[in-house]
Amino acid sequence: MIYRLPEIADKSILKEYVREHRANNEAGVSASLGLPASEYEEWLEKIQKNASSGDEQWGKSLLYLCFDEDTLVGLLSVRYELPDKIAGEIGHIGYGVRPSQRNKGYATAMLSYALSVCKEKGLDSVILGCYKDNIASASTIKKNGGVLEYEANSYNEERISQYYSIKL
Protein backbone atom coordinates (compact mmCIF):
# COMPACT_ATOMS: atom_id res chain seq x y z
CA MET A 1 0.00 0.00 0.00
CA ILE A 2 0.98 3.61 -0.51
CA TYR A 3 0.48 6.12 2.31
CA ARG A 4 0.81 9.83 1.63
CA LEU A 5 -0.48 13.20 2.71
CA PRO A 6 -3.22 14.73 0.56
CA GLU A 7 -2.42 17.22 -2.19
CA ILE A 8 -4.43 19.81 -4.10
CA ALA A 9 -4.75 17.39 -7.04
CA ASP A 10 -6.59 14.87 -4.82
CA LYS A 11 -9.76 16.96 -4.61
CA SER A 12 -11.77 14.90 -7.10
CA ILE A 13 -10.80 11.48 -5.69
CA LEU A 14 -11.64 12.67 -2.17
CA LYS A 15 -14.97 14.06 -3.38
CA GLU A 16 -15.75 10.61 -4.83
CA TYR A 17 -14.60 8.96 -1.59
CA VAL A 18 -17.05 11.09 0.44
CA ARG A 19 -19.81 10.46 -2.13
CA GLU A 20 -19.39 6.70 -1.73
CA HIS A 21 -19.76 6.96 2.06
CA ARG A 22 -22.92 9.05 1.69
CA ALA A 23 -24.34 6.63 -0.89
CA ASN A 24 -23.81 3.92 1.72
CA ASN A 25 -25.98 5.94 4.18
CA GLU A 26 -23.03 6.77 6.42
CA ALA A 27 -23.41 10.06 8.27
CA GLY A 28 -19.70 10.59 8.83
CA VAL A 29 -16.43 9.80 7.12
CA SER A 30 -14.02 8.26 9.62
CA ALA A 31 -10.58 9.78 10.05
CA SER A 32 -11.38 12.63 7.65
CA LEU A 33 -10.99 15.53 10.09
CA GLY A 34 -14.20 17.12 8.86
CA LEU A 35 -13.63 16.75 5.13
CA PRO A 36 -17.32 16.40 4.13
CA ALA A 37 -18.28 19.70 5.79
CA SER A 38 -15.21 21.68 4.68
CA GLU A 39 -14.07 23.58 1.65
CA TYR A 40 -11.33 21.38 0.19
CA GLU A 41 -8.61 24.02 0.08
CA GLU A 42 -9.23 25.04 3.73
CA TRP A 43 -9.28 21.39 4.80
CA LEU A 44 -6.02 20.72 2.96
CA GLU A 45 -4.39 23.74 4.59
CA LYS A 46 -5.45 22.42 8.03
CA ILE A 47 -4.02 18.95 7.26
CA GLN A 48 -0.72 20.45 6.10
CA LYS A 49 -0.50 22.71 9.18
CA ASN A 50 -1.19 19.77 11.51
CA ALA A 51 1.64 17.83 9.85
CA SER A 52 4.19 20.65 9.94
CA SER A 53 3.58 22.76 13.04
CA GLY A 54 0.59 21.16 14.70
CA ASP A 55 -2.45 22.53 16.44
CA GLU A 56 -2.28 24.19 19.87
CA GLN A 57 -4.89 21.87 21.37
CA TRP A 58 -4.18 18.64 19.48
CA GLY A 59 -0.45 18.77 18.70
CA LYS A 60 1.00 17.38 15.49
CA SER A 61 -0.85 14.78 13.46
CA LEU A 62 -0.71 13.15 10.06
CA LEU A 63 -3.65 12.36 7.82
CA TYR A 64 -2.72 9.84 5.16
CA LEU A 65 -4.50 8.86 2.00
CA CYS A 66 -4.15 5.08 1.69
CA PHE A 67 -3.90 3.66 -1.81
CA ASP A 68 -3.81 0.18 -3.23
CA GLU A 69 -2.25 0.88 -6.61
CA ASP A 70 -4.41 3.76 -7.98
CA THR A 71 -7.44 3.17 -5.74
CA LEU A 72 -7.98 5.30 -2.65
CA VAL A 73 -9.08 2.65 -0.17
CA GLY A 74 -9.12 4.67 3.04
CA LEU A 75 -8.00 7.47 5.30
CA LEU A 76 -5.64 7.13 8.24
CA SER A 77 -5.20 9.70 11.00
CA VAL A 78 -2.13 9.43 13.24
CA ARG A 79 -2.38 11.82 16.20
CA TYR A 80 1.00 11.34 17.84
CA GLU A 81 1.19 14.47 20.02
CA LEU A 82 -2.20 14.30 21.71
CA PRO A 83 -2.46 15.30 25.36
CA ASP A 84 -3.36 12.26 27.51
CA LYS A 85 -6.88 13.51 28.26
CA ILE A 86 -7.74 13.90 24.58
CA ALA A 87 -6.03 10.61 23.69
CA GLY A 88 -8.33 8.90 26.20
CA GLU A 89 -11.37 10.40 24.49
CA ILE A 90 -10.59 10.00 20.78
CA GLY A 91 -7.48 7.84 20.55
CA HIS A 92 -4.13 8.29 18.85
CA ILE A 93 -5.20 6.64 15.61
CA GLY A 94 -8.29 6.79 13.45
CA TYR A 95 -8.96 4.97 10.21
CA GLY A 96 -11.73 4.45 7.73
CA VAL A 97 -12.09 2.28 4.66
CA ARG A 98 -14.41 3.14 1.79
CA PRO A 99 -17.47 0.89 1.64
CA SER A 100 -16.53 -0.86 -1.62
CA GLN A 101 -13.13 -1.87 -0.21
CA ARG A 102 -14.13 -3.27 3.19
CA ASN A 103 -13.44 -6.82 4.37
CA LYS A 104 -10.25 -7.03 2.31
CA GLY A 105 -7.73 -6.53 5.13
CA TYR A 106 -7.06 -2.86 4.44
CA ALA A 107 -7.95 -1.59 7.92
CA THR A 108 -5.58 -4.11 9.53
CA ALA A 109 -2.75 -3.05 7.22
CA MET A 110 -3.50 0.64 7.78
CA LEU A 111 -3.48 0.26 11.56
CA SER A 112 -0.22 -1.70 11.42
CA TYR A 113 1.34 1.13 9.42
CA ALA A 114 0.02 3.74 11.87
CA LEU A 115 1.55 1.82 14.78
CA SER A 116 4.94 1.90 13.07
CA VAL A 117 4.60 5.68 12.58
CA CYS A 118 3.70 6.14 16.27
CA LYS A 119 6.70 4.09 17.33
CA GLU A 120 8.94 6.11 15.01
CA LYS A 121 7.54 9.30 16.60
CA GLY A 122 8.56 8.04 20.06
CA LEU A 123 5.33 6.68 21.53
CA ASP A 124 5.51 3.59 23.79
CA SER A 125 1.81 2.80 23.56
CA VAL A 126 -1.32 4.12 21.93
CA ILE A 127 -5.02 4.27 22.71
CA LEU A 128 -7.63 3.51 20.08
CA GLY A 129 -11.37 3.85 20.36
CA CYS A 130 -14.25 2.40 18.43
CA TYR A 131 -17.96 2.13 18.97
CA LYS A 132 -18.93 -1.01 20.87
CA ASP A 133 -21.20 -2.09 18.02
CA ASN A 134 -18.39 -1.76 15.44
CA ILE A 135 -17.29 -5.39 15.57
CA ALA A 136 -15.06 -5.05 12.48
CA SER A 137 -13.03 -2.19 13.98
CA ALA A 138 -12.68 -3.97 17.33
CA SER A 139 -11.42 -7.04 15.47
CA THR A 140 -8.90 -4.92 13.55
CA ILE A 141 -7.59 -3.41 16.78
CA LYS A 142 -7.30 -6.84 18.43
CA LYS A 143 -5.42 -8.25 15.40
CA ASN A 144 -2.85 -5.50 15.96
CA GLY A 145 -2.40 -6.33 19.66
CA GLY A 146 -5.17 -4.21 21.17
CA VAL A 147 -6.29 -4.93 24.72
CA LEU A 148 -9.66 -3.60 25.89
CA GLU A 149 -9.10 -1.09 28.71
CA TYR A 150 -12.53 0.48 29.31
CA GLU A 151 -15.90 1.44 27.90
CA ALA A 152 -17.55 4.86 28.11
CA ASN A 153 -20.21 6.98 26.52
CA SER A 154 -18.79 8.37 23.33
CA TYR A 155 -18.09 12.07 23.10
CA ASN A 156 -21.47 12.54 21.42
CA GLU A 157 -23.14 10.55 24.25
CA GLU A 158 -25.29 8.55 21.81
CA ARG A 159 -23.25 5.34 21.70
CA ILE A 160 -20.91 3.35 23.88
CA SER A 161 -17.25 3.44 22.86
CA GLN A 162 -14.60 0.89 23.70
CA TYR A 163 -11.01 1.97 24.27
CA TYR A 164 -8.07 -0.31 23.59
CA SER A 165 -4.38 0.07 24.32
CA ILE A 166 -1.57 -1.26 22.18
CA LYS A 167 2.02 -1.46 23.42
CA LEU A 168 4.57 -0.54 20.77
mmCIF file with all atom_site columns, all heavy atoms in Angstrom, residues 60 67 82 98 112 117 122-123 131 145 161:
data_model
loop_
_atom_site.group_PDB
_atom_site.id
_atom_site.type_symbol
_atom_site.label_atom_id
_atom_site.label_alt_id
_atom_site.label_comp_id
_atom_site.label_asym_id
_atom_site.label_entity_id
_atom_site.label_seq_id
_atom_site.pdbx_PDB_ins_code
_atom_site.Cartn_x
_atom_site.Cartn_y
_atom_site.Cartn_z
_atom_site.occupancy
_atom_site.B_iso_or_equiv
_atom_site.pdbx_formal_charge
_atom_site.auth_seq_id
_atom_site.auth_comp_id
_atom_site.auth_asym_id
_atom_site.auth_atom_id
_atom_site.pdbx_PDB_model_num
ATOM 1  N N   . LYS A 1 60  ? 0.764   17.773 16.878 1.00 0.00 ? 60  LYS A N   1
ATOM 2  C CA  . LYS A 1 60  ? 1.001   17.380 15.489 1.00 0.00 ? 60  LYS A CA  1
ATOM 3  C C   . LYS A 1 60  ? 0.255   16.081 15.174 1.00 0.00 ? 60  LYS A C   1
ATOM 4  O O   . LYS A 1 60  ? 0.132   15.201 16.025 1.00 0.00 ? 60  LYS A O   1
ATOM 5  C CB  . LYS A 1 60  ? 2.481   17.177 15.223 1.00 0.00 ? 60  LYS A CB  1
ATOM 6  C CG  . LYS A 1 60  ? 3.259   18.459 15.168 1.00 0.00 ? 60  LYS A CG  1
ATOM 7  C CD  . LYS A 1 60  ? 4.699   18.184 14.781 1.00 0.00 ? 60  LYS A CD  1
ATOM 8  C CE  . LYS A 1 60  ? 5.503   19.471 14.752 1.00 0.00 ? 60  LYS A CE  1
ATOM 9  N NZ  . LYS A 1 60  ? 6.910   19.195 14.449 1.00 0.00 ? 60  LYS A NZ  1
ATOM 10 N N   . PHE A 1 67  ? -3.631  4.158  -0.459 1.00 0.00 ? 67  PHE A N   1
ATOM 11 C CA  . PHE A 1 67  ? -3.902  3.659  -1.806 1.00 0.00 ? 67  PHE A CA  1
ATOM 12 C C   . PHE A 1 67  ? -3.453  2.213  -1.960 1.00 0.00 ? 67  PHE A C   1
ATOM 13 O O   . PHE A 1 67  ? -2.404  1.820  -1.435 1.00 0.00 ? 67  PHE A O   1
ATOM 14 C CB  . PHE A 1 67  ? -3.127  4.477  -2.851 1.00 0.00 ? 67  PHE A CB  1
ATOM 15 C CG  . PHE A 1 67  ? -3.611  5.880  -3.025 1.00 0.00 ? 67  PHE A CG  1
ATOM 16 C CD1 . PHE A 1 67  ? -3.081  6.898  -2.245 1.00 0.00 ? 67  PHE A CD1 1
ATOM 17 C CD2 . PHE A 1 67  ? -4.575  6.179  -3.968 1.00 0.00 ? 67  PHE A CD2 1
ATOM 18 C CE1 . PHE A 1 67  ? -3.514  8.209  -2.406 1.00 0.00 ? 67  PHE A CE1 1
ATOM 19 C CE2 . PHE A 1 67  ? -5.016  7.493  -4.140 1.00 0.00 ? 67  PHE A CE2 1
ATOM 20 C CZ  . PHE A 1 67  ? -4.486  8.501  -3.360 1.00 0.00 ? 67  PHE A CZ  1
ATOM 21 N N   . LEU A 1 82  ? -1.000  13.999 20.943 1.00 0.00 ? 82  LEU A N   1
ATOM 22 C CA  . LEU A 1 82  ? -2.204  14.304 21.706 1.00 0.00 ? 82  LEU A CA  1
ATOM 23 C C   . LEU A 1 82  ? -1.922  14.371 23.201 1.00 0.00 ? 82  LEU A C   1
ATOM 24 O O   . LEU A 1 82  ? -1.219  13.504 23.739 1.00 0.00 ? 82  LEU A O   1
ATOM 25 C CB  . LEU A 1 82  ? -3.262  13.220 21.496 1.00 0.00 ? 82  LEU A CB  1
ATOM 26 C CG  . LEU A 1 82  ? -4.083  13.252 20.229 1.00 0.00 ? 82  LEU A CG  1
ATOM 27 C CD1 . LEU A 1 82  ? -5.015  12.047 20.206 1.00 0.00 ? 82  LEU A CD1 1
ATOM 28 C CD2 . LEU A 1 82  ? -4.874  14.526 20.102 1.00 0.00 ? 82  LEU A CD2 1
ATOM 29 N N   . ARG A 1 98  ? -13.222 2.870  2.613  1.00 0.00 ? 98  ARG A N   1
ATOM 30 C CA  . ARG A 1 98  ? -14.406 3.138  1.787  1.00 0.00 ? 98  ARG A CA  1
ATOM 31 C C   . ARG A 1 98  ? -15.263 1.879  1.682  1.00 0.00 ? 98  ARG A C   1
ATOM 32 O O   . ARG A 1 98  ? -14.730 0.748  1.689  1.00 0.00 ? 98  ARG A O   1
ATOM 33 C CB  . ARG A 1 98  ? -14.022 3.697  0.428  1.00 0.00 ? 98  ARG A CB  1
ATOM 34 C CG  . ARG A 1 98  ? -13.417 2.726  -0.512 1.00 0.00 ? 98  ARG A CG  1
ATOM 35 C CD  . ARG A 1 98  ? -12.904 3.329  -1.812 1.00 0.00 ? 98  ARG A CD  1
ATOM 36 N NE  . ARG A 1 98  ? -13.827 4.251  -2.426 1.00 0.00 ? 98  ARG A NE  1
ATOM 37 C CZ  . ARG A 1 98  ? -13.447 5.290  -3.173 1.00 0.00 ? 98  ARG A CZ  1
ATOM 38 N NH1 . ARG A 1 98  ? -12.172 5.497  -3.427 1.00 0.00 ? 98  ARG A NH1 1
ATOM 39 N NH2 . ARG A 1 98  ? -14.336 6.083  -3.704 1.00 0.00 ? 98  ARG A NH2 1
ATOM 40 N N   . SER A 1 112 ? -1.601  -1.246 11.245 1.00 0.00 ? 112 SER A N   1
ATOM 41 C CA  . SER A 1 112 ? -0.223  -1.698 11.422 1.00 0.00 ? 112 SER A CA  1
ATOM 42 C C   . SER A 1 112 ? 0.760   -0.604 11.005 1.00 0.00 ? 112 SER A C   1
ATOM 43 O O   . SER A 1 112 ? 1.743   -0.328 11.704 1.00 0.00 ? 112 SER A O   1
ATOM 44 C CB  . SER A 1 112 ? 0.017   -2.975 10.616 1.00 0.00 ? 112 SER A CB  1
ATOM 45 O OG  . SER A 1 112 ? 1.344   -3.396 10.750 1.00 0.00 ? 112 SER A OG  1
ATOM 46 N N   . VAL A 1 117 ? 4.377   4.231  12.567 1.00 0.00 ? 117 VAL A N   1
ATOM 47 C CA  . VAL A 1 117 ? 4.605   5.682  12.580 1.00 0.00 ? 117 VAL A CA  1
ATOM 48 C C   . VAL A 1 117 ? 4.651   6.183  14.022 1.00 0.00 ? 117 VAL A C   1
ATOM 49 O O   . VAL A 1 117 ? 5.534   6.967  14.395 1.00 0.00 ? 117 VAL A O   1
ATOM 50 C CB  . VAL A 1 117 ? 3.512   6.426  11.776 1.00 0.00 ? 117 VAL A CB  1
ATOM 51 C CG1 . VAL A 1 117 ? 3.612   7.934  11.981 1.00 0.00 ? 117 VAL A CG1 1
ATOM 52 C CG2 . VAL A 1 117 ? 3.599   6.073  10.297 1.00 0.00 ? 117 VAL A CG2 1
ATOM 53 N N   . GLY A 1 122 ? 8.149   8.117  18.665 1.00 0.00 ? 122 GLY A N   1
ATOM 54 C CA  . GLY A 1 122 ? 8.558   8.041  20.064 1.00 0.00 ? 122 GLY A CA  1
ATOM 55 C C   . GLY A 1 122 ? 7.507   7.598  21.059 1.00 0.00 ? 122 GLY A C   1
ATOM 56 O O   . GLY A 1 122 ? 7.753   7.624  22.276 1.00 0.00 ? 122 GLY A O   1
ATOM 57 N N   . LEU A 1 123 ? 6.349   7.157  20.599 1.00 0.00 ? 123 LEU A N   1
ATOM 58 C CA  . LEU A 1 123 ? 5.329   6.675  21.530 1.00 0.00 ? 123 LEU A CA  1
ATOM 59 C C   . LEU A 1 123 ? 5.641   5.246  21.978 1.00 0.00 ? 123 LEU A C   1
ATOM 60 O O   . LEU A 1 123 ? 6.137   4.436  21.194 1.00 0.00 ? 123 LEU A O   1
ATOM 61 C CB  . LEU A 1 123 ? 3.942   6.727  20.892 1.00 0.00 ? 123 LEU A CB  1
ATOM 62 C CG  . LEU A 1 123 ? 3.421   8.119  20.532 1.00 0.00 ? 123 LEU A CG  1
ATOM 63 C CD1 . LEU A 1 123 ? 2.076   8.015  19.832 1.00 0.00 ? 123 LEU A CD1 1
ATOM 64 C CD2 . LEU A 1 123 ? 3.305   8.988  21.768 1.00 0.00 ? 123 LEU A CD2 1
ATOM 65 N N   . TYR A 1 131 ? -16.653 2.379  18.385 1.00 0.00 ? 131 TYR A N   1
ATOM 66 C CA  . TYR A 1 131 ? -17.960 2.133  18.965 1.00 0.00 ? 131 TYR A CA  1
ATOM 67 C C   . TYR A 1 131 ? -18.094 0.649  19.301 1.00 0.00 ? 131 TYR A C   1
ATOM 68 O O   . TYR A 1 131 ? -17.601 -0.220 18.573 1.00 0.00 ? 131 TYR A O   1
ATOM 69 C CB  . TYR A 1 131 ? -19.068 2.543  17.999 1.00 0.00 ? 131 TYR A CB  1
ATOM 70 C CG  . TYR A 1 131 ? -19.143 4.033  17.793 1.00 0.00 ? 131 TYR A CG  1
ATOM 71 C CD1 . TYR A 1 131 ? -18.990 4.585  16.532 1.00 0.00 ? 131 TYR A CD1 1
ATOM 72 C CD2 . TYR A 1 131 ? -19.368 4.894  18.866 1.00 0.00 ? 131 TYR A CD2 1
ATOM 73 C CE1 . TYR A 1 131 ? -19.069 5.953  16.338 1.00 0.00 ? 131 TYR A CE1 1
ATOM 74 C CE2 . TYR A 1 131 ? -19.433 6.261  18.677 1.00 0.00 ? 131 TYR A CE2 1
ATOM 75 C CZ  . TYR A 1 131 ? -19.285 6.781  17.417 1.00 0.00 ? 131 TYR A CZ  1
ATOM 76 O OH  . TYR A 1 131 ? -19.354 8.136  17.235 1.00 0.00 ? 131 TYR A OH  1
ATOM 77 N N   . GLY A 1 145 ? -2.878  -6.270 18.280 1.00 0.00 ? 145 GLY A N   1
ATOM 78 C CA  . GLY A 1 145 ? -2.399  -6.326 19.656 1.00 0.00 ? 145 GLY A CA  1
ATOM 79 C C   . GLY A 1 145 ? -3.202  -5.521 20.658 1.00 0.00 ? 145 GLY A C   1
ATOM 80 O O   . GLY A 1 145 ? -2.787  -5.361 21.807 1.00 0.00 ? 145 GLY A O   1
ATOM 81 N N   . SER A 1 161 ? -18.535 3.656  23.515 1.00 0.00 ? 161 SER A N   1
ATOM 82 C CA  . SER A 1 161 ? -17.250 3.438  22.859 1.00 0.00 ? 161 SER A CA  1
ATOM 83 C C   . SER A 1 161 ? -16.400 2.510  23.699 1.00 0.00 ? 161 SER A C   1
ATOM 84 O O   . SER A 1 161 ? -16.498 2.498  24.918 1.00 0.00 ? 161 SER A O   1
ATOM 85 C CB  . SER A 1 161 ? -16.504 4.766  22.680 1.00 0.00 ? 161 SER A CB  1
ATOM 86 O OG  . SER A 1 161 ? -17.136 5.559  21.702 1.00 0.00 ? 161 SER A OG  1
#
